[in-house]
Amino acid sequence: DQALRELAARARHRDLVLDEWGMRPGRGRGITALFSGDPGTGKTMSAEVVAGSLGVDLYTVNLATVVDKYVGETEKNLERIFTEADGVNAVLLFDEADAIFGKRSEVRDANDRYANIEVAYLLQRMETFDGVAILATNLSANVDEAFARRLDMVVNFPVPDVALRRALWDRCLGGRAPRADDLDLDFCAEAFELSGGNIRSIAVTAAYLAADEGRAITMVDLVRAVQREYRKLGRLVVPGEFGPYYAVVAGDG
């Protein structure tokens, strides 16, 4: 993806552009990005790709575990993370970033004010981090424009289209698991609008169903696995999506 290449290029050529060419970004030397999209759309995998292209490690921090209800503790936790990461040539991924920021509109109470302070602190430390710092969020609508303007890049990860879903079905099933002749991956790609993470989960579930009966993965296994994934997602199983395979899962919870 072009956006990921550009992000890696910023890290690769930062010394040349900022030091030798004298360009000034108006803030710190840190390279910052926001990856937004539904769960399973490839945000973490893309961060791995960026780190791999730079030949450095990826450090993932779950922000939901960092945020503390006591005033000032979140900043201390963040500072501890950045202190450990400073001096290490790495890509730092803050996952579950929804836990720390939202729509920073009018401050209504003390909690809103402290939340804004935590967000401002996080962004300031990202800008001074001597590496690549990425925020990953499932709720891009909650990121205000003022925050987004201070980031180097904002990359949106949409739910994959039919062609990409077809490739994901094939990839997630792998080349070693036995496949029955009745597998219709074209139907799966067109009928079920799912993310890559969902498709991976379905493929694994189907593989276990087949393994338990000592045979190859069949279309019935895939359809039943889709039904189980829909149940986890809170989605209804309807004839319009399952088509000729609806009878397989009708009445099955």
Side-chain angles (χ1 to χ4, degrees):
D1 183 88
Q2 182 62 31
L4 300 183
R5 286 194 290 270
E6 288 182 16
L7 186 61
R10 282 177 177 263
R12 196 173 288 116
H13 305 299
R14 176 172 50 185
D15 291 343
L16 172 65
V17 172
L18 299 186
D19 297 335
E20 294 188 34
W21 290 1
M23 305 299 290
R24 289 292 172 262
R27 50 177 179 73
R29 293 169 54 88
I31 297 165
T32 60
L34 175 75
F35 288 179
S36 67
D38 290 342
T41 48
K43 299 185 294 296
T44 300
M45 183 178 68
S46 295
E48 293 172 351
V49 169
V50 172
S53 69
L54 295 173
V56 301
D57 292 328
L58 173 70
Y59 293 99
T60 302
V61 178
N62 187 326
L63 272 180
T65 66
V66 173
V67 175
D68 197 288
K69 62 181 178 180
Y70 297 106
V71 174
E73 290 302 311
T74 297
E75 291 97 311
K76 292 178 183 177
N77 292 337
L78 288 169
E79 180 59 32
R80 193 175 302 114
I81 292 166
F82 279 106
T83 299
E84 293 177 3
D86 277 337
V88 177
N89 195 13
V91 172
L92 192 55
L93 173 67
F94 289 98
D95 204 4
E96 302 293 339
D98 312 5
I100 197 172
F101 63 77
K103 194 72 175 177
R104 294 184 301 160
S105 54
E106 181 182 354
V107 175
R108 292 180 298 276
D109 56 33
N111 288 335
D112 289 340
R113 183 169 70 254
Y114 287 121
N116 285 352
I117 292 171
E118 291 169 351
V119 172
Y121 177 82
L122 173 60
L123 187 53
Q124 182 267 326
R125 280 303 270 119
M126 287 174 63
E127 291 172 347
T128 58
F129 175 58
D130 194 29
V132 179
I134 301 170
L135 289 167
T137 175
N138 302 329
L139 302 171
S140 58
N142 284 359
V143 181
D144 66 39
E145 294 180 6
F147 185 92
R149 279 198 300 269
R150 290 182 60 182
L151 297 164
D152 290 315
M153 302 193 72
V154 176
V155 185
N156 295 312
F157 291 77
V159 173
D161 60 17
V162 173
L164 183 52
R165 291 200 297 269
R166 176 61 174 79
L168 285 167
W169 277 105
D170 188 54
R171 180 175 180 178
C172 290
L173 284 168
R176 294 163 60 184
R179 304 185 189 187
D181 293 337
D182 70 339
L183 288 190
D184 189 349
L185 300 187
D186 289 332
F187 175 86
C188 291
E190 292 176 9
F192 307 123
E193 188 172 313
L194 295 160
S195 71
N198 297 140
I199 293 172
R200 180 175 60 247
S201 177
I202 291 166
V204 171
T205 298
Y208 275 115
L209 291 174
D212 189 48
E213 297 190 11
R215 52 171 173 71
I217 300 171
T218 67
M219 190 62 180
V220 168
D221 294 324
L222 286 186
V223 172
R224 284 178 173 161
V226 170
Q227 185 268 340
R228 285 156 175 73
E229 191 72 12
Y230 270 34
R231 184 185 300 165
K232 289 193 295 181
L233 296 171
R235 287 167 63 169
L236 296 175
V237 173
V238 296
E241 285 185 68
F242 284 76
Y245 302 101
Y246 179 70
V248 172
V249 295
D252 188 23

